[in-house]
Amino acid sequence: MKSDSVKKGMQQAPHRSLFNALGMTEEEMERPLIGIVSSYNEIVPGHMNLDKIVDAVKMGVAMAGGTPVMVPAIAVCDGIAMGHIGMKYSLVTRDLVADSTECLARAHAFDALVMVPNCDKNVPGLLMAAARINIPTVFVSGGPMLAGRVQGHKTSLSSMFEAVGAYTAGKMTEEDVKEYEQKACPTCGSCSGMYTANSMNCLTEVLGMGLKGNGTIPAVYSERLKLAKHAGMAVMELLKKNICPRDIMSEKAFRNALTMDMALGCSTNSMLHLPAIAHEAGVDLNLELANEISAKTPNLCHLAPAGPTYIEDLYEAGGIYAVMNEISKLGLLELDCITATGKTVGENIKGCINKDPEVIRPVENPYSSTGGIAILKGNLAPDSAVVKRSAVAPEMLKHEGPARVFDCEEDAIEAIKGGKIVAGDVVVIRYEGPKGGPGMREMLNPTSAIAGMGLGSTVALITDGRFSGASRGASIGHTCPEAAVGGPIALVEEGDIISIDIDNHRLDVKVSDEEMAARKEKWQPRKPLVTSGYLARYAAMAAPASRGAILEI
């Protein structure tokens, strides 16, 4: 066992004295040492219940013959961080989580790990760490929040943000907004739609790193405590069989994840996180693959914000395994991949039926014949841009309009709320990429303002930043190269006509090559907004969004 290096032999007597200081018995020191990486805190609603999940995991580990030891991981609430400087600190925590977990696991010679995350960057950060450390590991998330209910209708955080836009447009009263405020987020858990946190928890299940139900069992259900106990037991089985994350997160597993991403209609943030996780696992995941997979993968789910159903509904309909089983009818999944259950994907999903064809459409009756996410290219995005196709109104799949150009999110919001954006416009928000932001902020406030003011089916938004999974509409993000490095988005001028053709994967500005070259000659890099601290280090090391915004050594 790896932990023998800190527990066995005369040279380790000082180490054992410190284990004694922890109150650890000789019997506990004889067992495998299992790190339980807990993201529990009292500021993130998705994490406030993780202490109970951790206790259940520890019980499962102990029942199966291991010695569980809890260690911490950080997490940021994207909702609370939204719309101010805090959002610059969201994506960048993914690497802090991965790095700090690597340090804890290596320094203390854990034999195996159980990761207990829940929210947006915390989940991929721990998946990156798992691939990097590569000792037997199982994930069990804190689970999704139940949907809110306002005036007899289910609702969620995205409705809350849109309510603010509706108030600004005079479509809601202050009392109406207050009712949403009190009811939109009724329980602990990751926000209730197919936003980034739930997207990544569901894809963790698809990748094989979490057990059945990891992505969909609601946070407040006792079933999640049972899942946590089983995760503790499962990691001991993986340790016995020496099945490690890189055995599970193979190239085939990532193809499965992209396939299910398309079927589920996950957050566009998955197009940042999957390549970053794959990179740590030694797999080259080129985003070009996304369109190839999307072309043959039907979109079966329209969960909020794309539609009126929520993660709790997906759970009742049979969960992720039921969607996988449905998609497998088309021969689109690699069924021989090993998973954290100790079984293959095919063995896991066998007999998992679709219990609600309104929530999980049968493959014979999909929402669309192609997947929920599209990668766009063109003279405005020579490398790539990303859009959640399943959340775009049909009339906006092809659109041309004048550019309304803003060099930061705040200026765009002021213009939107000031009534300066009209039907047909294409809002361009730049210098918000990984380097330019720095930190690649989410644009949920402007997209929500556009939707709340009734412009969601007539106005597009393009950015080198990114979008919350709660964003809907023609919201095109991750535009590469970003403005900060002189990408074409930096050269767009007010009134330029921008052409969007999502079905044909195109994003262009109708300006000649000669004119764009002349503008590039005149362009000057903008002075960095941040010159010290972690954000400055991140900006200096961040790779493009097309490569997952990973940190380059």
Side-chain angles (χ1 to χ4, degrees), residues 4 24 41 82 119 303 382 426 435 438 446 455 475 519 535 551:
D4 285 351
M24 195 175 287
N41 63 52
M82 195 70 64
C119 288
L303 296 146
V426 178
K435 288 183 177 293
L455 297 171
S475 303
R519 292 180 187 180
L535 284 180
L551 294 186

Side-chain angles (χ1 to χ4, degrees), residues 312-334:
E312 64 192 63
D313 301 310
L314 181 57
Y315 170 64
E316 297 295 341
I320 300 306
Y321 279 13
V323 187
M324 293 177 76
N325 196 33
E326 195 70 42
I327 285 293
S328 72
K329 296 175 183 177
L330 300 176
L332 298 178
L333 291 180
E334 303 282 357

Side-chain angles (χ1 to χ4, degrees), residues 58-333:
K58 290 168 78 172
M59 176 71 77
V61 168
M63 288 167 62
T67 296
V69 181
M70 189 278 289
V71 293
I74 66 166
V76 163
C77 176
D78 274 27
I80 295 173
M82 195 70 64
H84 60 98
I85 192 173
M87 183 43 66
K88 294 178 185 289
Y89 286 91
S90 168
L91 177 62
V92 302
T93 64
R94 188 184 67 181
D95 297 274
L96 281 176
V97 168
D99 292 349
S100 59
T101 303
E102 175 193 358
C103 292
L104 283 166
R106 296 291 192 210
H108 300 107
F110 291 131
D111 295 302
L113 298 168
V114 179
M115 306 294 200
V116 188
N118 211 28
C119 288
D120 294 30
K121 312 309 168 295
N122 176 256
V123 179
L126 288 176
L127 283 165
M128 290 165 67
R132 189 186 301 175
I133 300 162
N134 201 36
I135 59 176
T137 303
V138 175
F139 277 66
V140 55
S141 77
M145 185 183 291
L146 293 178
R149 283 171 173 76
V150 177
Q151 298 173 6
H153 299 285
K154 286 185 178 181
T155 190
S156 62
L157 184 66
S158 56
S159 302
M160 185 70 252
F161 276 90
E162 290 178 16
V164 176
Y167 172 78
T168 303
K171 297 181 178 183
M172 288 181 72
T173 66
E174 187 174 345
E175 290 73 23
D176 292 333
V177 176
K178 186 72 173 178
E179 184 177 10
Y180 271 88
E181 186 179 325
Q182 296 296 323
K183 297 178 178 178
C185 300
T187 70
C188 63
S190 48
C191 296
S192 54
M194 188 55 86
Y195 310 146
T196 306
N198 290 327
S199 293
M200 294 311 302
N201 282 325
C202 290
L203 293 178
T204 298
E205 206 172 319
V206 176
L207 280 168
M209 292 298 293
L211 306 183
K212 180 183 179 183
N214 179 72
T216 58
I217 299 172
V220 295
Y221 284 15
S222 297
E223 187 65 25
R224 185 152 290 274
L225 297 178
K226 296 180 184 178
L227 179 70
K229 292 173 184 175
H230 283 128
M233 298 178 206
V235 80
M236 297 304 295
E237 284 300 309
L238 293 182
L239 181 59
K240 289 176 186 174
K241 296 175 181 177
N242 194 33
I243 298 174
C244 296
R246 290 194 180 198
D247 301 320
I248 295 171
M249 290 193 283
S250 63
E251 184 177 357
K252 287 182 176 181
F254 282 102
R255 289 188 70 95
N256 283 347
L258 279 176
T259 299
M260 290 302 298
D261 197 331
M262 300 304 167
L264 291 164
C266 291
S267 163
T268 52
N269 279 316
S270 63
M271 293 295 103
L272 283 174
H273 300 322
L274 287 175
I277 298 160
H279 174 75
E280 295 289 356
V283 174
D284 181 17
L285 191 65
N286 192 320
L287 286 186
E288 298 285 337
L289 189 59
N291 283 341
E292 176 191 322
I293 288 175
S294 179
K296 54 189 177 185
T297 306
N299 178 225
L300 304 185
C301 299
H302 263 196
L303 296 146
T309 52
Y310 294 82
I311 300 296
E312 64 192 63
D313 301 310
L314 181 57
Y315 170 64
E316 297 295 341
I320 300 306
Y321 279 13
V323 187
M324 293 177 76
N325 196 33
E326 195 70 42
I327 285 293
S328 72
K329 296 175 183 177
L330 300 176
L332 298 178
L333 291 180

Side-chain angles (χ1 to χ4, degrees), residues 257-518:
L258 279 176
T259 299
M260 290 302 298
D261 197 331
M262 300 304 167
L264 291 164
C266 291
S267 163
T268 52
N269 279 316
S270 63
M271 293 295 103
L272 283 174
H273 300 322
L274 287 175
I277 298 160
H279 174 75
E280 295 289 356
V283 174
D284 181 17
L285 191 65
N286 192 320
L287 286 186
E288 298 285 337
L289 189 59
N291 283 341
E292 176 191 322
I293 288 175
S294 179
K296 54 189 177 185
T297 306
N299 178 225
L300 304 185
C301 299
H302 263 196
L303 296 146
T309 52
Y310 294 82
I311 300 296
E312 64 192 63
D313 301 310
L314 181 57
Y315 170 64
E316 297 295 341
I320 300 306
Y321 279 13
V323 187
M324 293 177 76
N325 196 33
E326 195 70 42
I327 285 293
S328 72
K329 296 175 183 177
L330 300 176
L332 298 178
L333 291 180
E334 303 282 357
L335 299 180
D336 60 346
C337 297
I338 194 67
T339 71
T341 66
K343 299 178 181 178
T344 64
V345 168
E347 290 172 316
N348 286 341
I349 67 175
K350 186 178 180 180
C352 295
I353 62 170
N354 179 2
K355 300 176 183 177
D356 190 339
E358 294 301 313
V359 176
I360 306 171
R361 288 276 186 94
V363 290
E364 298 83 9
N365 180 36
Y367 282 102
S368 66
S369 60
T370 56
I373 289 178
I375 306 298
L376 311 182
K377 284 194 172 187
N379 72 343
L380 188 51
D383 291 346
S384 64
V386 181
V387 64
K388 188 170 182 175
R389 186 191 187 285
S390 60
V392 178
E395 56 269 35
M396 289 298 287
L397 291 172
K398 191 169 186 176
H399 177 77
E400 285 191 2
R404 306 299 308 280
V405 183
F406 304 94
D407 285 350
C408 67
E409 177 190 10
E410 289 81 0
D411 290 351
I413 292 171
E414 183 179 349
I416 295 165
K417 291 187 174 180
K420 297 178 181 178
I421 303 301
V422 298
D425 284 350
V426 178
V427 177
V428 176
I429 305 177
R430 62 194 181 189
Y431 294 101
E432 292 285 5
K435 288 183 177 293
M440 204 178 181
R441 288 194 289 181
E442 288 183 343
M443 302 291 131
L444 179 57
N445 275 354
T447 59
S448 298
I450 288 169
M453 296 175 76
L455 297 171
S457 60
T458 57
V459 170
L461 194 155
I462 298 170
T463 182
D464 53 5
R466 59 194 178 89
F467 294 106
S468 163
S471 291
R472 61 187 176 98
S475 303
I476 300 168
H478 309 193
T479 304
C480 289
E482 63 174 291
V485 298
I489 192 171
L491 311 177
V492 175
E493 295 181 357
E494 187 82 7
D496 285 348
I497 300 300
I498 291 179
S499 173
I500 299 166
D501 188 346
I502 294 174
D503 285 338
N504 289 305
H505 306 111
R506 295 293 306 179
L507 180 62
D508 296 285
V509 56
K510 292 197 163 183
V511 175
S512 70
D513 293 345
E514 293 78 13
E515 172 62 19
M516 290 294 278

